[in-house]
Amino acid sequence: MDFLSFVIGLCLTWIIIKTFHIILRSKAIHKKLPPGPKPFPVIGNLLELGDKPHRSLTRLAKEYGPIMTLKLGRLTTIVISSANMAKEVLQTHDQLLSNRTVPDAFRLQGHEVVGMPFIPISRHWRNLRKICNGQLFSNTALDANQDTRRKKVQELLAETRQSSLTGEAVDIGKAAFKTSLNMLSNTILSVDLVGPNSDATIKYKEIVWTIMKEAGKPNLADFFPVLQKFDPQGIRQRMTVNFVKMKNIFAHKISERLQLRKVSGSLTNSDMLDTLINICEENSEMMDKYRMEHFIMDLFAAGTDTTSSTMEWAMAELLCNPDASSKAKLELKQVIGEGHTMEESDISRLPYLQAILKETLRLHPPTPLLLPRKADADVEINGYIIPKGAQVLVNAWAIGRDPTLWENANSFMPDRFLESEIDVKGRNFEIIPFGSGRRICPGLPLAIRVLHLMLGSLIHTFDWKLEDGVKLEDMNMEENFGITLQRAHPLRAVPI
């Protein structure tokens, strides 16, 4: 009994010491947390977010600084709002801050396990990045698909020309979405997903935007994990409906291709889908049909909505800034020549067009808060501790409008980039629309080509004016917040 008493006493002593250690450590970390607004009991700072969190968090950062703590329910969230702090998170401490907090909205159909944006750094994630960087978005692969993108832009110009003949306004976002959707579907599947004069464009756009909007909403199930099984706001339910619609489209296309390949003498398309199927046949651990469906979904969701929204913002800014539009048209005329077609090879000779897109992405980053990251361990930045398990949000929208970095930060001034080496490829933290570090958007090389080609072609071929009755000073530049940043009111403009 004496021995047993000794063992029990020893265990109790160890438990007491361990408990005190945890309490002291918790207090020490709490003291070192970045500053932030005082949280309310239980709900924390949830009421601070509002319906446009990128703007709310920017206002709070002016008071509490570029690294700030919020308590969102039970979730400790660190918000980064300056280029220097973003560099610490995305480059210096990238290894410990590369994994994701997975929104409850994406915990469906197993997407959190295989979907590239949210899976942890792992063998599967590295395999997907290897496929992207080596076989899908390499310069060699993109050069091989130039004809497809050229053809789709020519179709866009032909449809726009018809509108110019009738004086009909063009829905810029819808037109850009259709073009980027068919560019991707031809590159990946060798088919148009949307035909001419088809209502399918609206259907696809609604599906993708609903996914982005629902996923971007503040979700009680993320802040109070006990609520996840109840889905109190119905976000996961609505996500699932649209997710399944989209997934079924690609599952059907994959099944069709797999059946076709079984037919003796059938020709391969040498597109992305064939590349993925070849990988699947060579190494089923790297890729299989289930993973393929989710991977292609990610490519379409990320590559269509962001492209069309950026195009819409760029055209809106040019309509509001006629001088910038005139400079762009003059440059295109001098470099390409009147009546000639713009090619991707011309992009490097069009510095003002490049400046316009940089300025658009600075003011209107497609993903204003980037995708959330998670601390795998305590990380010290600028004397503060980001505690293990905390969510980390990088406010790219705030950084792009930081008045300490940018003169007239809220004004559209493409000329600021003419004498600047700053680019959008993740090396300069003053402007990070595609993120940076190992989690940078893998489709960046394709996005750069598509955006320049589409925008340059539209402003080289046509003059543009707003619909009759709409004045520049009355033009609405309000935003709708989701994972991506959309215009609240579709841009309609008449090509001339």
Side-chain angles (χ1 to χ4, degrees), residues 3-16:
F3 177 74
L4 183 59
S5 299
F6 172 76
V7 171
I8 293 173
L10 191 63
C11 290
L12 288 172
T13 302
W14 182 85
I15 291 170
I16 291 169

Side-chain angles (χ1 to χ4, degrees), residues 436-455:
S436 182
R438 69 182 71 189
R439 285 288 191 171
I440 194 170
C441 173
L444 185 154
L446 175 60
I448 293 296
R449 293 188 184 214
V450 169
L451 286 169
H452 286 93
L453 181 64
M454 207 186 304
L455 180 64

Side-chain angles (χ1 to χ4, degrees), residues 24 52 67 88 139 151 162 179 213-214 221 247 265 287 289 293 296 313 348 354 366 392 436 464 468 470 477 483:
L24 290 172
K52 294 182 174 64
I67 178 169
E88 290 289 312
N139 284 330
K151 180 182 177 183
Q162 286 299 313
T179 301
K213 180 177 67 175
E214 294 294 342
K247 182 171 176 284
M287 183 63 65
K289 184 175 181 292
E293 292 170 3
I296 290 175
W313 282 116
S348 61
Q354 294 177 47
V392 182
S436 182
W464 294 86
D468 290 341
V470 180
M477 298 291 274
I483 283 185

Side-chain angles (χ1 to χ4, degrees), residues 151-421:
K151 180 182 177 183
K152 294 301 129 186
V153 169
Q154 290 307 308
E155 290 174 4
L156 169 65
L157 296 179
E159 291 182 13
T160 306
R161 194 169 286 111
Q162 286 299 313
S163 296
S164 74
L165 294 175
T166 60
E168 183 183 354
V170 174
D171 184 323
I172 300 295
K174 179 183 172 184
F177 186 91
K178 176 184 175 181
T179 301
S180 57
L181 179 68
N182 281 341
M183 276 185 184
L184 267 179
S185 65
N186 273 272
T187 301
I188 297 173
L189 307 169
S190 297
V191 295
D192 281 347
L193 280 183
V194 176
N197 304 315
S198 170
D199 290 335
T201 302
I202 297 173
K203 181 185 77 172
Y204 281 110
K205 197 172 192 305
E206 285 178 352
I207 289 173
V208 174
W209 169 237
T210 300
I211 289 173
M212 296 297 184
K213 180 177 67 175
E214 294 294 342
K217 285 180 180 177
N219 188 349
L220 291 174
D222 290 325
F223 310 132
F224 303 99
V226 71
L227 298 178
Q228 287 180 358
K229 64 173 69 176
F230 303 107
D231 188 24
Q233 294 159 264
I235 289 175
R236 196 181 337 112
Q237 180 185 6
R238 292 189 293 274
M239 278 283 288
T240 301
V241 170
N242 288 278
F243 193 92
V244 170
K245 286 179 184 177
M246 196 172 177
K247 182 171 176 284
N248 287 344
I249 293 167
F250 302 122
H252 177 66
K253 295 293 183 185
I254 293 169
S255 295
E256 277 186 340
R257 182 67 59 83
L258 290 171
Q259 290 298 318
L260 183 63
R261 284 167 65 108
K262 291 178 181 177
V263 177
S264 177
S266 64
L267 298 174
T268 58
N269 293 291
S270 298
D271 54 19
M272 284 189 186
L273 180 55
D274 266 333
T275 298
L276 292 173
I277 292 174
N278 291 338
I279 293 169
C280 179
E281 291 175 347
E282 293 167 8
N283 185 352
S284 59
E285 289 187 6
M286 181 178 286
M287 183 63 65
D288 57 25
K289 184 175 181 292
Y290 174 71
R291 288 172 174 165
M292 209 182 303
E293 292 170 3
H294 287 263
F295 184 52
I296 290 175
M297 274 191 61
D298 287 334
L299 295 179
F300 273 91
T304 52
D305 188 66
T306 53
T307 301
S308 61
S309 63
T310 300
M311 276 292 303
E312 200 172 7
W313 282 116
M315 289 291 290
E317 290 289 2
L318 288 173
L319 282 165
C320 289
N321 296 272
D323 287 347
S325 182
S326 297
K327 287 182 182 179
K329 289 184 74 67
L330 179 61
E331 179 184 70
L332 286 157
K333 183 178 179 181
Q334 291 174 341
V335 172
I336 298 170
E338 201 163 354
H340 290 85
T341 302
M342 180 181 168
E343 303 288 344
E344 289 180 16
S345 57
D346 296 319
I347 294 172
S348 61
R349 300 186 296 136
L350 297 165
Y352 198 76
L353 180 65
Q354 294 177 47
I356 285 171
L357 275 165
K358 287 178 184 177
E359 184 71 341
T360 301
L361 290 166
R362 178 185 75 82
L363 286 170
H364 311 285
T367 312
L369 297 179
L370 302 185
L371 290 181
R373 293 185 172 223
K374 182 176 71 174
D376 288 334
D378 292 349
V379 177
E380 184 172 346
I381 293 180
N382 203 37
Y384 299 115
I385 294 291
I386 298 178
K388 181 180 179 180
Q391 173 178 258
V392 182
L393 297 176
V394 178
N395 193 343
W397 189 89
I399 294 170
R401 294 172 182 251
D402 184 345
T404 66
L405 296 175
W406 308 100
E407 184 181 355
N408 297 320
N410 291 312
S411 299
F412 184 78
M413 297 167 52
D415 297 68
R416 73 173 85 239
F417 286 105
L418 291 180
E419 302 298 327
S420 170
E421 296 297 319

Side-chain angles (χ1 to χ4, degrees), residues 20-134:
F20 272 112
H21 179 264
I22 291 170
I23 292 171
L24 290 172
R25 179 180 175 276
S26 176
K27 286 183 176 180
I29 289 176
H30 183 73
K31 286 180 181 178
K32 291 186 178 180
L33 279 174
K38 186 176 180 180
F40 287 104
V42 185
I43 64 171
N45 304 110
L46 282 175
L47 298 179
E48 307 273 9
L49 295 180
D51 61 349
K52 294 182 174 64
H54 59 300
R55 290 181 176 270
S56 304
L57 296 176
T58 301
R59 286 194 294 270
L60 286 171
K62 290 177 181 177
E63 182 176 354
Y64 296 102
I67 178 169
M68 172 176 65
T69 302
L70 295 181
K71 286 292 289 183
L72 304 179
R74 295 187 59 81
L75 183 63
T76 298
T77 299
I78 307 299
V79 183
I80 301 298
S81 304
S82 77
N84 289 336
M85 293 298 102
K87 184 177 182 180
E88 290 289 312
V89 168
L90 303 177
Q91 180 175 297
T92 307
H93 299 285
D94 186 36
Q95 189 169 357
L96 293 175
L97 298 171
S98 283
N99 284 326
R100 302 286 193 200
T101 52
V102 182
D104 184 67
F106 281 104
R107 295 184 183 276
L108 44 86
Q109 300 280 306
H111 195 66
E112 74 278 12
V113 179
V114 294
M116 188 175 178
F118 291 105
I119 57 174
I121 303 298
S122 60
R123 184 179 178 183
H124 177 47
W125 180 84
R126 291 186 183 91
N127 286 339
L128 294 179
R129 288 295 296 202
K130 185 178 179 182
I131 292 169
C132 287
N133 296 336

